[in-house]
Amino acid sequence: MNDKTTKVGELKALVEKFVRERDWERFHSPKNLAMSISIEAAELMEIFQWLDIKEAASLPKEPTKAAHIKEELADILIYLISFCNINKIDMAGIVAEKLRRNRTRFPAKKVRGAFLKNYR
Amino acid sequence: MNDKTTKVGELKALVEKFVRERDWERFHSPKNLAMSISIEAAELMEIFQWLDIKEAASLPKEPTKAAHIKEELADILIYLISFCNINKIDMAGIVAEKLRRNRTRFPAKKVRGAFLKNYR
Amino acid sequence: MNDKTTKVGELKALVEKFVRERDWERFHSPKNLAMSISIEAAELMEIFQWLDIKEAASLPKEPTKAAHIKEELADILIYLISFCNINKIDMAGIVAEKLRRNRTRFPAKKVRGAFLKNYR
Amino acid sequence: MNDKTTKVGELKALVEKFVRERDWERFHSPKNLAMSISIEAAELMEIFQWLDIKEAASLPKEPTKAAHIKEELADILIYLISFCNINKIDMAGIVAEKLRRNRTRFPAKKVRGAFLKNYR
C-alpha cells in the first residue's frame, strides 16, 4: 500500500476491518477517540520535546528516530480514521472544504512572508 | 473530492500546494507541526469536554456540532499531512505497517470482549 | 512537606533548586515547558482513556492506579512551577485573579444546575 | 494573595469553594479534569506555536502576551488543584516525592551538561 495508488476510502476500510474484528467499536465513542488522538499527538511531540527547531528538523533523517516518528504518526492517523469511520465523515471532503475556507482567510498574495509579523 | 475516488497522494498534493503558495514550509518544522497537531487535537476534545460518553456519541448528529467537529478534524489532518509531506512519509504505508504489527500484538480471537479486563 | 503547612513559594524554591543543580534552566524555555506540561497532561489522560466517566471516578481509590496518577500530576505540576519560576509568575496571584474574573463570568446563582444546558 | 505568604492548602480551599458554590463537583470526574488540564495546556502551547525557542523566551516580557500566558497557566492550575481536591491528593507531598525519586534517577553530578547527549 502506498499513497500514490491507495484511495482514502481503502485506508478507511482497512482500519474499519481491524476495529470490527476486535469488537472495539464500543470503545470508540467520539469523546474517547478525541482523547486518543490527543494522547498520540503528545507522544509524537515528546520526540522533539527538548530540541530546538533546527535540531528537530533533522531528526526524521535518523533511522531509529524515523521509525519512532512513523509509528506515532500512524497511531494518530488510525484513531483519526476510526473517528471518521464511526461518524461517517468524508476525510477528503473536509480537507478540501477547510482549505477552501483558508484560501479566503489567508490569501497567498497577502500572506507570503508576512505571517509571523501578523501573528505577533 | 471524496474518500471513494481520492487517492491519499492527491490529498497530500493539495495540502502541499496550499502551504507552498503561502511560503509556509519554513514554519513547518517537525517540532512545530507536532505541536500544531496536538493543539488541534485539544480543540476537538474540547467539544466533548463535559459530556459523558453516551451524550458525546450523539453530538456528531447535531448539525452545528457536526460542522465544528469536521473543522477540527480537518485541521488535525492538514497538519498531519503537512508533516508527512515535509518528511516524505508515506501515510498509507505507515498505517498498513502499524496495523500489521497491531494484528500480532492484539490477535482478534484473544482480544474480542476482553479488552477492558486486560486493560485494568 | 504537606499542603497544610507548605507555602507555594517553598514549593517553587524546591523545584528551582532541583533544576538549577542540574543546569537545566537552559532547556526550560517557555515553549519547551508548555510542551512538557501538555505531554505530561496527556500521560495523565491516558490512565482514563477507555473508561467511562463513572469507572474513571473510582480509579484513584485503587492503590496502583493512585500511585500512577500522583506521579503524572506531580510531573505536570513540576513543569508548571518551573514555568512560573523562570518567568517570575506568582502562582497564588494568577489563580486568585482568574477566580475573581470567573466569579463575574459565572455567577454562582445563575450557574448552579444550569451548566450543561447552557453549554450545549 | 501571593506565593510568599499563601499555603498550598489555602489555594486549594479557594478553588474548592469556587467549585462547590457552582455545584460543579459533579462534572469534575478525574477523566474530565484530566481532559481539561490537557485542553488548557494546549492553549498555553498555542501562544508559542510558530516561534523559535529564543523568540518564545522573550514573549512573557510583552505585557499583552504576559497577561494571556498567566490566564492559561491559571486555568491549568485551577483544574489541577480541583483534581487534587476531589481525589484528596496532597500537592506538596507528591512534588516532594517525585523530586526525591528524580534525584536518584538524575544525580546532579552525572546530569550537568550531559542531558542532551544522553537524551539522543
Side-chain angles (χ1 to χ4, degrees):
Chain A
M1 270 191 134
N2 63 63
D3 291 344
K4 212 172 163 182
T5 58
T6 309
K7 283 169 191 150
V8 179
E10 291 170 317
L11 210 53
K12 289 170 87 175
L14 194 73
V15 173
E16 192 179 25
K17 189 171 172 290
F18 179 88
V19 171
R20 186 172 296 160
E21 282 172 358
R22 274 149 196 83
D23 199 15
W24 280 353
E25 299 98 332
R26 65 206 161 104
F27 299 115
H28 284 197
S29 141
K31 177 159 178 157
N32 284 350
L33 287 172
M35 282 178 79
S36 304
I37 293 167
S38 182
I39 291 164
E40 300 300 335
E43 292 184 5
L44 178 65
M45 272 206 302
E46 199 177 6
I47 303 174
F48 307 103
Q49 184 172 12
W50 300 112
L51 306 179
D52 70 34
I53 306 294
K54 269 184 199 164
E55 284 174 315
S58 68
L59 217 58
K61 283 155 208 155
E62 300 179 20
T64 330
K65 294 291 174 185
H68 189 182
I69 290 166
K70 282 173 190 173
E71 186 159 0
E72 300 302 346
L73 285 168
D75 284 337
I76 300 170
L77 195 46
I78 289 167
Y79 282 125
L80 192 74
I81 290 171
S82 200
F83 192 111
C84 292
N85 276 337
I86 276 152
N87 298 292
K88 308 209 177 308
I89 291 169
D90 192 273
M91 295 170 72
I94 60 172
V95 166
E97 168 63 20
K98 184 68 201 245
L99 290 180
R100 203 174 301 132
R101 250 181 301 160
N102 277 352
R103 269 184 224 108
T104 314
R105 275 176 76 196
F106 307 108
K109 273 191 195 167
K110 230 176 134 184
V111 157
R112 286 184 72 89
F115 186 75
L116 210 68
K117 209 186 293 169
N118 290 343
Y119 175 73
R120 300 185 56 178
Chain B
M1 269 190 135
N2 64 63
D3 291 344
K4 211 171 164 182
T5 58
T6 309
K7 283 170 190 150
V8 179
E10 291 170 316
L11 210 54
K12 287 170 90 176
L14 193 73
V15 173
E16 191 178 26
K17 187 170 174 289
F18 179 88
V19 171
R20 187 173 293 162
E21 282 171 357
R22 276 150 195 81
D23 199 15
W24 280 354
E25 299 97 331
R26 64 204 162 105
F27 299 117
H28 284 197
S29 141
K31 177 158 175 156
N32 284 349
L33 286 173
M35 282 179 78
S36 304
I37 294 168
S38 182
I39 291 165
E40 300 300 335
E43 292 184 6
L44 178 65
M45 270 205 304
E46 199 177 5
I47 304 174
F48 306 103
Q49 184 172 13
W50 300 113
L51 306 179
D52 70 33
I53 307 295
K54 269 184 200 164
E55 283 173 315
S58 68
L59 217 57
K61 283 155 209 156
E62 300 179 20
T64 330
K65 294 292 174 183
H68 188 184
I69 290 165
K70 283 174 189 175
E71 187 159 1
E72 300 303 346
L73 285 168
D75 284 338
I76 301 169
L77 195 46
I78 289 167
Y79 283 126
L80 192 73
I81 290 171
S82 200
F83 192 111
C84 292
N85 276 338
I86 277 154
N87 298 292
K88 306 206 180 310
I89 290 168
D90 192 273
M91 295 170 74
I94 60 172
V95 166
E97 168 63 21
K98 184 67 202 245
L99 290 180
R100 203 174 302 132
R101 251 182 299 162
N102 278 352
R103 270 185 223 106
T104 314
R105 274 176 77 199
F106 306 108
K109 271 191 197 170
K110 231 175 134 183
V111 157
R112 285 184 73 88
F115 185 74
L116 209 70
K117 209 186 295 173
N118 290 344
Y119 175 73
R120 302 185 56 179
Chain C
M1 268 189 137
N2 64 62
D3 291 344
K4 211 171 164 184
T5 58
T6 310
K7 284 170 190 150
V8 178
E10 291 170 317
L11 210 54
K12 288 171 88 176
L14 193 72
V15 173
E16 191 178 26
K17 189 170 172 290
F18 179 88
V19 171
R20 186 173 295 161
E21 282 171 358
R22 276 149 195 83
D23 199 14
W24 280 354
E25 298 97 332
R26 64 205 161 105
F27 299 116
H28 284 196
S29 142
K31 178 158 175 154
N32 284 350
L33 287 173
M35 282 179 77
S36 305
I37 293 168
S38 183
I39 290 165
E40 300 301 336
E43 293 184 5
L44 178 65
M45 271 207 302
E46 200 178 5
I47 303 175
F48 306 103
Q49 184 172 12
W50 300 114
L51 306 180
D52 70 34
I53 307 295
K54 269 185 201 164
E55 283 173 315
S58 69
L59 218 57
K61 283 155 210 158
E62 300 178 21
T64 330
K65 295 291 174 183
H68 188 184
I69 290 166
K70 283 174 190 174
E71 187 159 1
E72 301 302 347
L73 285 168
D75 284 338
I76 301 170
L77 195 46
I78 289 167
Y79 283 126
L80 192 74
I81 290 171
S82 201
F83 192 111
C84 292
N85 276 338
I86 277 153
N87 298 292
K88 307 207 180 309
I89 291 168
D90 192 272
M91 295 170 73
I94 61 172
V95 166
E97 168 64 22
K98 183 69 201 246
L99 290 179
R100 204 174 300 131
R101 252 182 299 162
N102 278 352
R103 269 184 225 108
T104 315
R105 275 176 75 198
F106 307 107
K109 272 190 197 170
K110 232 175 135 184
V111 157
R112 286 185 73 89
F115 186 74
L116 210 68
K117 209 185 296 172
N118 290 344
Y119 175 73
R120 304 186 55 180
Chain D
M1 267 191 136
N2 64 63
D3 291 344
K4 211 171 163 184
T5 58
T6 310
K7 284 170 191 150
V8 179
E10 290 170 317
L11 211 53
K12 288 170 88 175
L14 194 72
V15 173
E16 190 178 26
K17 188 169 172 289
F18 179 86
V19 171
R20 185 172 296 161
E21 281 171 358
R22 276 149 195 81
D23 199 14
W24 279 353
E25 298 98 331
R26 64 206 162 104
F27 300 116
H28 284 198
S29 140
K31 177 158 177 157
N32 284 350
L33 287 172
M35 283 179 77
S36 304
I37 293 168
S38 182
I39 290 166
E40 300 301 335
E43 292 184 5
L44 178 65
M45 272 206 302
E46 199 177 6
I47 303 175
F48 306 103
Q49 184 172 11
W50 300 113
L51 306 179
D52 70 33
I53 306 295
K54 269 184 201 164
E55 285 174 313
S58 68
L59 218 57
K61 284 155 208 155
E62 300 178 21
T64 330
K65 295 291 173 184
H68 188 183
I69 290 165
K70 282 174 190 174
E71 187 160 1
E72 301 301 347
L73 285 168
D75 283 338
I76 301 169
L77 195 46
I78 289 167
Y79 283 126
L80 192 73
I81 290 171
S82 201
F83 192 111
C84 293
N85 276 337
I86 278 153
N87 298 292
K88 308 207 178 309
I89 291 169
D90 191 275
M91 296 171 72
I94 60 173
V95 166
E97 169 63 22
K98 184 68 202 246
L99 290 179
R100 203 174 301 132
R101 253 182 297 161
N102 278 351
R103 269 184 224 107
T104 314
R105 275 176 75 197
F106 307 109
K109 273 191 196 167
K110 230 176 136 185
V111 156
R112 286 184 73 88
F115 186 74
L116 210 68
K117 208 186 295 172
N118 290 343
Y119 175 73
R120 302 184 57 179

